[in-house]
Amino acid sequence: MTTIARGRLFAYGAPGLPMAILGLPLFVFLPTFYAEFTGIGLAMVGFILLAARLFDVVTDPLVGHLSDRIRGPFRRRALIVLGTPLLLFSVEMLFRPAEGVGAAYLFLFSALVYLGWTLFALPYFAWGAELSTDYHERSRISAWREGFVVAGTVTAASLPAVLGLENDAGASLSALATLFWWLLPLAVLALLVAVPERPGRLAPVAWRHGLILLRQNRPFRRLVLAWVLNGTANAIPATLFLLFITHVLEAPEHAGPLLLVYFGVGIAALPGWLFLARRLGKHRVWTLSMLLASGFFIWVPLLGAGDVAWFYLITVLTGLSLGVDLALPAAMQADVIDQDTADGGGERAGLFFGLWGMATKLALALAVGITFPLLGAVGFSTDGGNAPEALLVLALAYAGLPVLFKLAAMGLVWRFPLDERTQRSLRERIDARAEDTGISSVHSGGT
């Protein structure tokens, strides 16, 4: 096994920080801000963001497929360079809206942000999957990237409080947009300069044959469904966090510190989980972490106004599992791609991450599309004065629904068929196929 130097891992992981700075306000602050800023209400904001997500879903496999088809040592870099300026422009417009904007504006620039995100993120993740062929080194690569993601999330959560803007959502979004504008170009520059790309050895197969291989890829089907279920479980509390803290616990001033505690514990616990994954396997450790998080989070609906100390305790205990949810599934995705390549699909990591991008966006869309209309149906209002029944529905949606989704994901992941031994066998098949293809090319060139 070749161990990747830490400097190179740092350069690869660095873009995760500005991307997370973008991610937290998109999924936590933005829905509530636009519901209040535009006056169109929570239900309408939920519908618009769901529509933008569904519109964006179509681009994921197309961008991934394009990334695979670009030849040479710059196939991943090309789309990242294209997506970066689009992302910077659309974030500026979405996070700093002018007075009088409405539903159409929210839809347009949400869709553009998602498109820029796709152009950047899909080749970026595919690039990471191709940095190593080793089962455990892939976990290390994912852990570095997701460590930066957590650091970016902590930055996004704490910056409004540091600047004294925690009670001004518009000013908070504006400050985060400025930080994003500074950090993303620097991180992209480090990535492009310091991290090499490996040119593809095996050309991707045609769409029709590729679809057949996808249907036959049992590990892919199992993992992508678990990814959607667990992603929805994580997106629901992220979407409702500010509402729960404000209206159920009645402690909005603790929102920033709670996020800092949650993500700080996640970073601290990640090395221990990676150590355990080397002994039990990635899928078993991921399942155990989901079970642990669910066992602690299920008690949240019992909390009420003033129960902040108990919520801090639950935040610490559930935060222990955060790093696993981020790092190990991404490493498992690279193993699933090996199954496809060994079966004759060629090297099409971009397409696979496009499909996982679709699954991620579906999960986020479900979180908003389920919870906001549900709250609207029971008469919940962000202005306060809610009936006890409405607050109970908020608490159950915030903590009850995620546990149900995680339980379903656990059932799929526990018996995941790709372990270290199986993945090593797949790499041997892939190397043999690449060698045969190279011999064939030499013979063809000489005749």
Side-chain angles (χ1 to χ4, degrees):
M1 181 190 78
T2 301
T3 301
I4 300 175
R6 289 185 179 181
R8 183 165 291 173
L9 288 174
F10 184 96
Y12 173 71
L17 196 151
M19 294 299 284
I21 288 175
L22 171 61
L24 182 72
L26 267 179
F27 307 134
V28 177
F29 301 139
L30 194 79
T32 303
F33 167 70
Y34 265 86
E36 297 174 351
F37 183 77
T38 63
I40 60 179
L42 277 174
M44 180 57 69
V45 167
F47 173 78
I48 292 168
L49 294 178
L50 174 62
R53 278 291 182 191
L54 294 177
F55 175 79
D56 179 49
V57 160
V58 179
T59 66
D60 283 338
L62 298 178
V63 170
H65 179 71
L66 176 61
S67 178
D68 293 331
R69 293 290 173 175
I70 298 173
R71 307 311 299 164
F74 303 104
R75 54 188 182 142
R76 307 305 181 194
R77 286 177 170 90
L79 292 183
I80 289 174
V81 171
L82 178 63
T84 298
L86 175 60
L87 199 51
L88 291 170
F89 166 74
S90 52
V91 165
E92 174 71 19
M93 301 302 291
L94 186 64
F95 281 26
R96 289 195 258 250
E99 292 290 339
V101 302
Y105 184 96
L106 174 59
F107 174 80
L108 172 63
F109 288 105
S110 295
L112 287 177
V113 166
Y114 297 150
L115 177 59
W117 183 297
T118 298
L119 288 169
F120 186 99
L122 293 192
Y124 175 61
F125 280 100
W127 192 346
E130 294 167 344
L131 284 178
S132 176
T133 62
D134 182 76
Y135 179 83
H136 292 299
E137 188 69 5
R138 286 172 169 173
S139 299
R140 186 166 168 255
I141 294 167
S142 297
W144 270 83
R145 182 184 61 231
E146 301 307 328
F148 273 99
V149 168
V150 173
T153 305
V154 170
T155 301
S158 60
L159 185 64
V162 170
L163 298 178
L165 303 175
E166 61 268 31
N167 296 321
D168 189 338
S172 297
L173 287 173
S174 178
L176 291 170
T178 299
L179 185 60
F180 180 76
W181 261 80
W182 278 100
L183 292 180
L184 183 63
L186 293 175
V188 169
L189 180 63
L191 173 70
L192 299 180
V193 171
V195 184
E197 277 192 70
R198 178 179 57 79
R201 295 184 299 170
L202 299 169
V205 295
W207 272 102
R208 181 173 297 179
H209 182 52
L211 289 174
I212 294 174
L213 290 176
L214 282 176
R215 288 196 297 268
Q216 295 174 346
N217 193 330
R218 187 167 63 92
F220 165 73
R221 297 199 311 269
R222 182 179 288 261
L223 184 59
V224 76
L225 181 54
W227 183 261
V228 171
L229 292 169
N230 188 60
T232 305
N234 294 336
I236 287 174
T239 301
L240 299 180
F241 174 73
L242 289 179
L243 295 178
F244 180 82
I245 294 297
T246 301
H247 298 281
V248 176
L249 294 185
E250 298 181 4
E253 69 277 6
H254 287 275
L258 281 164
L259 289 174
L260 288 174
V261 168
Y262 180 67
F263 290 108
V265 170
I267 291 177
L270 184 53
W273 287 111
L274 293 179
F275 176 83
L276 191 60
R278 285 184 172 272
R279 282 143 183 83
L280 299 181
K282 289 180 277 197
H283 63 288
R284 292 288 169 84
V285 171
W286 184 27
T287 306
L288 290 174
S289 76
M290 288 190 286
L291 181 62
L292 180 70
S294 298
F296 293 127
F297 205 53
I298 193 64
W299 301 102
V300 169
L302 300 180
L303 303 181
D307 291 331
V308 179
W310 285 108
F311 193 67
Y312 268 102
L313 176 60
I314 293 173
T315 298
V316 169
L317 295 173
T318 55
L320 292 171
S321 301
L322 170 66
V324 181
D325 255 0
L326 295 173
L328 293 189
M332 292 168 63
Q333 290 166 356
D335 301 335
V336 167
I337 296 169
D338 283 346
Q339 179 74 63
D340 179 74
T341 307
D343 290 341
E347 294 185 327
R348 46 182 189 160
L351 174 63
F352 270 83
F353 280 98
L355 296 173
W356 274 300
M358 290 176 61
T360 299
K361 290 167 184 175
L362 175 60
L364 294 169
L366 286 173
V368 176
I370 292 172
T371 57
F372 277 22
L374 178 63
L375 294 179
V378 297
F380 179 85
S381 172
T382 58
D383 297 328
N386 292 288
E389 294 79 9
L391 295 178
L392 177 60
V393 169
L394 172 59
L396 290 174
Y398 175 74
L401 286 178
V403 170
L404 294 178
F405 280 107
K406 279 189 178 290
L407 288 173
M410 284 181 243
L412 292 168
V413 175
W414 181 252
R415 296 185 180 275
F416 190 69
L418 287 184
D419 56 13
E420 182 179 6
R421 180 181 59 82
T422 306
Q423 189 269 340
R424 187 179 296 117
S425 175
L426 292 175
R427 291 310 311 180
E428 292 172 356
R429 289 172 55 194
I430 293 169
D431 290 340
R433 183 181 293 273
E435 183 177 344
D436 291 343
T437 301
I439 293 173
S440 176
S441 297
V442 172
H443 287 175
S444 297
T447 58

